[in-house]
Amino acid sequence: MTDPALAEARTRRWLAEFVVGLNLCPFARPLLDSEQLRIAVIGEPDLASLQNTFLAELDLIQARPEADIATSLLVFTGALADFDNYLDFLALAQELLGDAGLEGLVQLASFHPDYRFEGEPDDSPSHFSNRSPYPTIHLIREDMLERVLVDFPDPEGIPGRNIETLEELGVAELERRWRAIRDLVIPA
């Protein structure tokens, strides 16, 4: 089982170097070092625990003001390593979000070490836009997202710009950067 502190350190490095460093999400920079960014490392291996943890996180983000928790990353270290299993859980999480009456209030974004966009070649750099050190579900407050999108020019162009950035770097460079994140160790 991965040490939670190491999982969080790798996740933070991924956020700093990929998400913010490559400007894959132009809205992430202000939260990068903020206490409003919650990273919850989940080591449980069984589906029932994962469901309960997801629901508890939904409760937490709804119970706390944005000034306390602006956004939350659920980082799964004990389960969902298989990409298809992760996608199945993501579909379940989306269903749970709807059952909780939170569609339109909380949005889910998905990341996985083996993320692959359907229809894209296996070696496409585009997959790196949604690759993370561990299976991760990002809970985003929709009202916060709407506020930052108001003044942002061409938000629909973000995915295309991300693909251009990743293609310019190329798969070899992306994999080199990826290995540096995955190989990160923290001193004992």
Side-chain angles (χ1 to χ4, degrees):
M1 180 197 236
T2 303
D3 172 47
L6 178 59
E8 182 171 341
R10 287 177 177 163
T11 298
R12 287 188 181 280
R13 185 166 178 185
W14 162 70
L15 289 170
E17 294 183 13
F18 269 79
V19 177
V20 170
L22 297 177
N23 201 30
L24 299 179
C25 177
F27 317 115
R29 185 174 307 279
L31 292 172
L32 185 60
D33 295 318
S34 168
E35 290 184 16
Q36 295 171 293
L37 169 64
R38 177 172 157 77
I39 298 176
V41 178
I42 317 305
E44 290 89 359
D46 62 287
L47 183 60
S49 293
L50 299 181
Q51 286 177 291
N52 290 335
T53 299
F54 176 78
L55 290 169
E57 195 69 18
L58 283 177
D59 286 344
L60 180 65
I61 202 167
Q62 287 301 297
R64 304 277 295 274
E66 184 180 320
D68 290 345
I69 301 174
T71 193
S72 180
L73 293 172
L74 295 178
V75 178
F76 300 97
T77 60
L80 308 176
D82 178 81
F83 185 57
D84 290 326
N85 290 343
Y86 169 80
L87 291 176
D88 290 343
F89 183 76
L90 181 64
L92 175 61
Q94 191 65 50
E95 187 177 311
L96 292 169
L97 181 73
D99 291 347
L102 295 175
E103 279 188 24
L105 297 174
V106 176
Q107 184 180 115
L108 305 181
S110 60
F111 303 93
H112 192 278
D114 298 320
Y115 206 98
R116 293 179 312 279
F117 289 105
E118 191 172 335
E120 290 287 317
D122 287 344
D123 62 350
S124 175
S126 66
H127 303 304
F128 283 89
S129 68
N130 284 62
R131 288 198 175 159
S132 59
Y134 302 93
T136 300
I137 296 177
H138 183 190
L139 286 73
I140 306 165
R141 293 175 186 266
E142 291 226 8
D143 58 347
M144 184 179 79
L145 187 58
E146 288 172 11
R147 282 195 316 276
V148 297
L149 287 175
V150 166
D151 296 320
F152 190 83
D154 188 30
E156 297 81 19
I158 292 171
R161 288 189 295 274
N162 288 350
I163 291 170
E164 285 177 25
T165 297
L166 297 169
E167 286 177 347
E168 284 176 18
L169 286 171
V171 171
E173 174 62 16
L174 291 166
E175 287 179 349
R176 184 193 68 73
R177 292 177 183 209
W178 190 247
R179 278 190 306 277
I181 291 170
R182 298 287 305 265
D183 293 345
L184 175 71
V185 294
I186 52 177

